[in-house]
Amino acid sequence: MEKVNDITTLWRKQFPILTQQVNGKPLVYFDNAATSQKPLRVIQSLSDYYTRYNSNVHRGVHTLSQMATDAFEEARELTASFIHAGEKEEVIFTKGTTDSINLVAQSFGEKFLQAGKEIWISAMEHHANIVPWQMICEKKGAKLKVIPMNREGVLLTEELYQNLSENIALIAVTHVSNSLGTINPVKEIIARAHTFGIPVLVDGAQAVPHMSVNVQELDCDFYCFSAHKMYGPTGIGVLYGKRKWLEAMPPYQGGGDMIETVTFEKTDYNVIPFKFEAGTPHIEGAIGLAEAIRFIQETGIENIEKREQELLHYAMEKLSEIEGITYIGTAPEKAAVISFLIEGAHPYDVGFILDKQGIAVRTGHHCTQPVMQFFDIPGTVRASFAFYNTEEEIGRLAEGIQKAKNMLL
Ligand code: PMP
């Protein structure tokens, strides 16, 4: 136990933001599923870029431009190896998970979706993995179908498997649910889908920061994630796509960098990944993402996963001492997310009282309104852990909840 605490102290030292007081109390940051905190080295990598080699990437012959291009392309290579992509050209830098999904919905949908075809998503998707599909289905006259779930927050995949057919153009499913914590059996879904030649997109926003992801082993066709949830900067994310799909798909946006030649009559598009990266990219974002990946690799993703599971179990034990808590999302396979309600109290009021004690949790629907509709609730209080959190902080959450109960009930 002492050893774990020593390591945690070392880990926490790298996150300057964690040492501050909020509302006169030491900050307890349990909103990691919304965005994680950033270690100093990531913050420094951004300022280093601006102080030493700020310049636009690609095509520049001068030294600074070459330095920036090298760092940007190294970031792509590192990202590819981090998720075990076969080649770096299969890694496209986007604004984040939302942008990655919109890219596939618009581009893949434009080419491969026709009237009467189906797109399947699941009952626990983030709005980012619902709305883009609704938009393209509406445009194309295609149907959006939903894999249902049970009251534990486990997907009823048989419903999908029994309906698999060549009429399904694509399946888009989250790896880990942000509001329930459920870890979905994406590998099995992909294997089953492939027997019908159906491509699968995985929303990995809540998976990549917490577990080892191997896109080749999963055999997914697309995989999306955001840097800001994995200790990196905001405004940058990744779309991994298999070469065969990316090459077959039309560009998403037009502009500089995504072209080979332009005349007023005709444009020839660049090769992947540049075909999907119109305009000046988020250069320092990619550099910051690369630093975040180095940080994760040095910390060890397996250590992160193990520690977060310990925290999850400890929190469940600690909170079970408090009466009147209903948990939303009780799947056996769960990431370190606890969504709950205190009987008789509105989640917003609970969140407000916790904030007054320096404890940051998220309240509301967590961009998963259909999940709230399914459970017939207005929202939840969500505590989501990162490996830098501590048992002591969980103790403070338990005390905070008790205090909220005393004040509200
Ligand atoms: N999918 C899931 C599962 C998420 O948790 C989130 C972020 N809450 C998103 C998609 C959207 O990510 P971003 O806002 O970074 O685009």
Side-chain angles (χ1 to χ4, degrees), residues 150 152-155 181-183 309 312-313 329-335:
N150 66 18
E152 282 185 297
V154 173
L155 285 186
T182 312
I183 302 172
Q309 284 296 319
L312 174 68
H313 291 124
T330 47
E333 294 287 321
K334 267 193 69 166

Side-chain angles (χ1 to χ4, degrees), residues 22-290:
V22 169
N23 292 323
K25 306 274 166 49
L27 168 67
V28 173
Y29 188 76
F30 283 160
D31 196 17
N32 295 286
T35 200
S36 72
Q37 295 303 345
K38 324 298 172 200
L40 197 55
R41 58 190 282 179
V42 168
I43 301 165
Q44 278 167 346
S45 74
L46 306 183
S47 89
D48 189 44
Y49 163 70
Y50 283 117
T51 7
R52 286 202 312 112
Y53 59 104
N54 169 54
S55 193
N56 212 330
V57 291
H58 304 143
R59 299 175 314 277
V61 291
H62 66 83
T63 305
L64 292 195
S65 175
Q66 278 174 13
M67 284 170 75
T69 304
D70 286 351
F72 186 73
E73 290 305 323
E74 256 171 45
R76 195 191 305 280
E77 211 161 322
L78 185 61
T79 307
S81 76
F82 180 60
I83 58 168
H84 304 273
E87 37 182 343
K88 75 182 178 89
E89 290 77 12
E90 293 177 323
V91 167
I92 293 162
F93 288 127
T94 64
K95 286 189 286 182
T97 309
T98 305
D99 195 33
S100 300
I101 297 171
N102 274 279
L103 190 164
V104 179
Q106 289 302 316
S107 170
F108 178 94
E110 189 55 48
K111 179 129 179 203
F112 295 106
L113 197 58
Q114 294 109 32
K117 287 255 183 191
E118 293 172 359
I119 298 268
W120 279 68
I121 58 173
S122 89
M124 63 178 76
E125 298 307 318
H126 186 281
H127 296 163
N129 205 25
I130 302 174
V131 187
W133 303 113
Q134 272 174 341
M135 289 163 69
I136 193 70
C137 282
E138 199 177 323
K139 187 173 162 198
K140 292 286 192 153
K143 285 186 225 137
L144 190 64
K145 299 278 197 162
V146 181
I147 311 166
M149 66 178 167
N150 66 18
R151 303 285 302 177
E152 282 185 297
V154 173
L155 285 186
L156 301 172
T157 44
E158 273 309 317
E159 188 70 24
L160 169 72
Y161 301 152
Q162 280 162 18
N163 282 287
L164 284 175
S165 81
E166 270 94 28
N167 200 38
I168 301 179
L170 182 134
I171 298 166
V173 67
T174 195
H175 200 161
V176 176
S177 156
N178 66 310
S179 54
L180 303 169
T182 312
I183 302 172
N184 286 318
V186 288
K187 194 169 174 187
E188 193 193 341
I189 292 173
I190 294 162
R192 297 278 200 126
H194 283 176
T195 61
F196 287 82
I198 305 164
V200 180
L201 174 144
V202 180
D203 172 351
Q206 298 293 344
V208 173
H210 308 295
M211 60 182 73
S212 171
V213 170
N214 184 325
V215 290
Q216 288 191 89
E217 214 172 273
L218 288 175
D219 201 22
C220 53
D221 298 274
F222 302 100
Y223 199 96
C224 312
F225 57 100
S226 304
H228 72 93
K229 293 182 196 286
M230 49 183 287
Y231 318 109
T234 52
I236 180 110
V238 171
L239 168 65
Y240 159 81
K242 280 186 182 163
R243 176 179 277 277
K244 68 167 181 181
W245 290 117
L246 296 178
E247 285 187 338
M249 283 158 50
Y252 171 47
Q253 292 179 325
D257 248 26
M258 53 75 74
I259 56 90
E260 191 59 52
T261 56
V262 178
T263 65
F264 286 119
E265 287 71 39
K266 185 175 185 299
T267 292
D268 287 321
Y269 302 128
N270 207 338
V271 293
I272 62 164
F274 309 113
K275 183 171 85 174
F276 292 106
E277 293 180 354
T280 298
H282 190 4
I283 304 165
E284 85 276 23
I287 289 166
L289 166 61

